[in-house]
């Protein structure tokens, strides 16, 4: 995925990237909050309603700016949180990659609205930004409600459980909206999640090998021929120098990285 995005960015597509997209979204959601607060009926006008898009095409864009809440206290926290996560992704990935991630999610949300036939907002789409940040920076500390410090990975786990519950209890339209909106996350992080799972298996194999050695039993040989970099996908079988990294940025859990990303990730 990273190699494909790098090639696309080198073409004219890279020049089409929207710089500071997070700021645009935050300011837009803030403005929409003020508008809806003064005129509550505006919320329905901004939603992505597939039955009205042909007559009101602006809905394909305006739903991206729906505020996350109509509570004054909560919306300040939510917009601040979205600014932190979105800006960090934009800085880490660059404007082009962040644009691709966000607009793939927006496209998925739009498709889900038309397939489900229901008006939708941007909740699931914005949640994917949060999950992407939590995946890259699992040990990032955030003050919940500006008071309670907590690692973002624990919030992500709780959120994942709530999303699973919503999918189980919701109707087919809700399940479709969740699945399609999260297509961007799994497209970008599917390999990373598999690498984390492999890292967990590696830890278990190493523990078993140590236990076998200490008890006098020979440890089974472990093959690493299929290892690949969790970031760029470079494979050891193709000559890449794959290292196991367990630094703070990796969440303290072992994951396979090529030599370049092990040094500079």
């Amino acid at each position: 995925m990273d190699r494909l995005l790098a090639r696309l960015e080198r073409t004219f597509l890279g020049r089409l990237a929207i710089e500071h997209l997070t700021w645009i979204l935050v300011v837009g959601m803030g403005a929409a909050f003020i508008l809806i607060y003064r005129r509550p009926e505006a919320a329905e006008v901004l939603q992505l309603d597939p039955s009205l898009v042909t007559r009101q095409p602006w809905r394909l864009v305006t739903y991206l700016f729906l505020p996350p809440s109509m509570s004054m206290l909560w919306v300040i926290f939510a917009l601040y949180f979205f600014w932190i996560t979105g800006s960090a992704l934009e800085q880490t990935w660059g404007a082009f990659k962040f644009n691709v991630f966000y607009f793939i999610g927006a496209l998925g949300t739009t498709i889900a609205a038309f397939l489900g036939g229901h008006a939708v907002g941007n909740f699931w789409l914005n949640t994917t930004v949060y999950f992407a940040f939590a995946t890259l920076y699992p040990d990032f500390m955030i003050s919940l409600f500006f008071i309670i410090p907590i690692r973002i990975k624990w919030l992500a786990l709780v959120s994942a459980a709530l999303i699973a519950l919503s999918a189980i209890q919701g109707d087919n339209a809700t399940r479709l909206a969740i699945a399609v909106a999260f297509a961007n996350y799994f497209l970008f992080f599917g390999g990373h999640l598999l690498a984390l799972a492999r890292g967990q298996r590696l830890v278990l194999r190493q523990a078993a090998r140590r236990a076998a050695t200490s008890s006098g039993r020979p440890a089974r040989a472990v093959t690493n021929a299929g290892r690949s970099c969790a970031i760029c996908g470079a494979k050891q079988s193709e000559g890449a120098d794959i290292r196991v990294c367990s630094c703070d940025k990796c969440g303290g859990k072992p994951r396979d990285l090529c030599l370049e990303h092990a040094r500079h990730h």
Side-chain angles (χ1 to χ4, degrees):
M1 187 65 186
D2 287 286
R3 294 177 180 177
L4 174 61
L5 289 173
R7 286 197 294 268
L8 292 175
E9 188 172 8
R10 286 195 294 267
T11 67
F12 73 95
L13 293 177
R15 296 192 293 272
L16 299 179
I18 301 174
E19 298 285 345
H20 309 297
L21 177 60
T22 302
W23 270 112
I24 295 172
L25 293 170
V26 168
V27 171
M29 286 187 280
F33 173 83
I34 296 173
L35 174 63
I36 296 171
Y37 189 83
R38 295 173 62 89
R39 301 183 62 180
E41 66 275 12
E44 295 183 2
V45 178
L46 300 179
Q47 284 184 328
L48 175 57
D49 189 337
S51 64
L52 299 174
V53 165
T54 54
R55 286 176 292 160
Q56 300 171 348
W58 67 78
R59 292 175 179 268
L60 290 170
V61 177
T62 54
Y63 84 93
L64 299 176
F65 300 102
L66 285 169
S69 171
M70 287 311 298
S71 165
M72 181 69 73
L73 178 62
W74 179 253
V75 79
I76 292 174
F77 170 76
L79 291 181
Y80 173 70
F81 186 61
F82 184 81
W83 171 73
I84 288 177
T85 55
S87 297
L89 290 177
E90 203 166 359
Q91 183 176 6
T92 301
W93 284 344
F96 179 76
K97 186 174 180 178
F98 180 69
N99 275 217
V100 172
F101 176 84
Y102 187 82
F103 287 119
I104 286 177
L107 177 62
T109 301
T110 302
I111 292 173
F114 278 91
L115 292 179
H118 297 285
V120 299
N122 56 11
F123 175 77
W124 299 118
L125 171 59
N126 289 345
T127 301
T128 65
V129 174
Y130 158 58
F131 269 79
F133 177 83
T135 303
L136 291 178
Y137 304 101
D139 290 318
F140 181 84
M141 297 294 295
I142 186 167
S143 296
L144 191 61
F145 302 112
F146 304 104
I147 300 173
I148 307 171
I150 187 173
R151 293 186 189 276
I152 199 169
K153 62 183 177 183
W154 303 124
L155 285 178
L157 290 174
V158 173
S159 298
L162 294 176
I163 290 171
L165 184 63
S166 297
I168 293 172
Q169 296 181 341
D171 55 15
N172 289 332
T174 300
R175 297 187 189 98
L176 179 64
I178 294 173
V180 181
F182 272 80
N184 60 349
Y185 177 80
F186 290 109
L187 181 63
F188 274 66
F189 292 100
H192 176 78
L193 297 177
L194 289 175
L196 287 178
R198 288 199 302 268
Q200 291 291 346
R201 291 196 298 269
L202 176 62
V203 171
L204 294 176
R205 288 198 300 267
Q206 289 175 338
R209 182 170 55 192
R210 287 193 295 268
T213 302
S214 62
S215 62
R217 295 191 303 269
R220 291 190 302 174
V222 177
T223 175
N224 294 320
R227 291 165 57 191
S228 60
C229 177
I231 296 178
C232 68
K235 298 180 180 179
Q236 189 174 39
S237 59
E238 297 176 354
D241 186 357
I242 303 298
R243 307 294 178 90
V244 178
C245 182
S246 57
C247 66
D248 290 340
K249 291 184 179 180
C250 296
K253 298 179 180 179
R255 66 168 177 162
D256 297 337
L257 297 176
C258 66
L259 181 59
E260 180 181 356
H261 284 116
R263 290 175 174 172
H264 304 295
H265 73 291

